[in-house]
Amino acid sequence: MSSSLIIKTFILVIGLLFIHKVVSVDYGAALTKSLLYYEAQRSGKLPPDQRVQWRADSGLKDGSDAGIDLVGGYYDAGDNVKFGFPFAFTITMLSWSTIEFRSELGARQELSNALKAIKWGTDYFVKAHPEADVLYGEVGDGDSDHACWQRPEDMTTPRTTFRIDDQHPGADLAAETAAALAAASIVFRPVNPKYAQQLLGHAKQLFEFARNHPGLYQNSIPVAGKFYSSSGYEDELVWAAAWLQRATDDQTYLNYIAGATNTGGTRTVFSWDDKYVGAQVLAAKLVLEGKSDSSGTWAQYKSGAEQFICSCIQKGNNNNVKKTPGGLLWFLPWNNLQYTATASFVATVYSKYLTSAHSSLQCPGGLVQPSDLTALARSQVDYILGENPKGISYMVGFGSNYTNQPHHRGASIISIKKDARPVTCQGGFALWFNKDAPNPNVLDGAVVGGPDENDAYTDSRSNFQQAEPASVTPAPLVGIFASLAS
């Protein structure tokens, strides 16, 4: 065989292997599981079409201490607290995923499940906002909850309610909830216009509440600050305005975005605490579509978004996001995969926006095409789903080798339907937490915190820094999976 033929054969084999590698990841299955996960996180009276059968009703008296119905919503992570701040961001991101990839979700028969996941959250927020300047922002107490290891169905911990109002403001919490409801209103408009209008009404009121009563929410709800402390509220206000603008096309919100004194600059993460990248991307979309000016403040927003993306794709200005040796974008040691997920989602939607505008991205390190951004997102979710040095899927229930000891109370304790004997606060630690065995219930679709900066991971529920899944993480992945599965 001639040397040129050998080289051609080698290239062909490598190419076939690459193609097999790409199609071997079942993004449709990952999408299904990521939406299924939210059913396992449900608080309240479970509906007849509940698919996650190892869960049962819980938190049925939430809000009773304040004389208000706060039954429903989602538990935060591996605990049984409803933290309003990250919860609202979760719903905003689920809505954004659904808005951008609605047809793809429909093609995979997952649109109805996405709508149900969003509505379980928005129904709760409507109840939590009984007056214009009142919003309930937490149910349960992190300290007492974390001191126990119990199923949500067995909770014996206090279900204290905490709120913000005109005397105890929290512009960040109010604005993030406004963003969630505004984004969700766009989702529901084609199928339930009356409900969409209701959500938009609450969103407008909450935005005005946030504008008129500045302040950090943890100053009004100190117990939340121990777990989800907010670093500022200006980002949430711009983020909420961007979603209200998209939902209403109202010049008022466009003016607010343009008049903001802080456009965020170059951020290092996009997260439940820092929304600037999201707001910058939505502003950049308006610039790309010619719906706003391309200079001044608008140019600053677009530049901020693009600098973050350039940094993620390793073509930034000497400030590239770190990558692990195995290729994972690595931001912070605690639940890093939530930041990888949001960054990958931003790359995915910006690829879509650039394609629509017949444009590309000029990074300091060179030209980036929309296809390059899609490839970045694909590489990151492939890593999460098992193509990593450990050969482990960080999405529970996905693939043949997945993390099976996620730090999650409900999943780690036998279902109440199989053994109805109550698990006590401390008894849960002895019986279940310290048991070195896979969780008895598979928490399908949960994404754990993930590996460290050297790709190392210990699959143990006591390793809460790496092994605890959080509700914020799969929300942006829903959109990426829908896009890649199409």
Side-chain angles (χ1 to χ4, degrees), residues 100 285 288-289 349-359 370:
E100 299 293 351
K285 179 179 186 287
L288 289 166
E289 292 172 345
V349 295
Y350 212 67
S351 170
K352 182 183 175 184
Y353 299 164
L354 288 173
T355 300
S356 296
H358 306 290
S359 186

Side-chain angles (χ1 to χ4, degrees), residues 245-259:
Q245 188 281 327
R246 192 161 173 178
T248 64
D249 209 20
D250 189 325
Q251 186 69 33
T252 306
Y253 301 111
L254 205 65
N255 293 344
Y256 185 89
I257 302 164

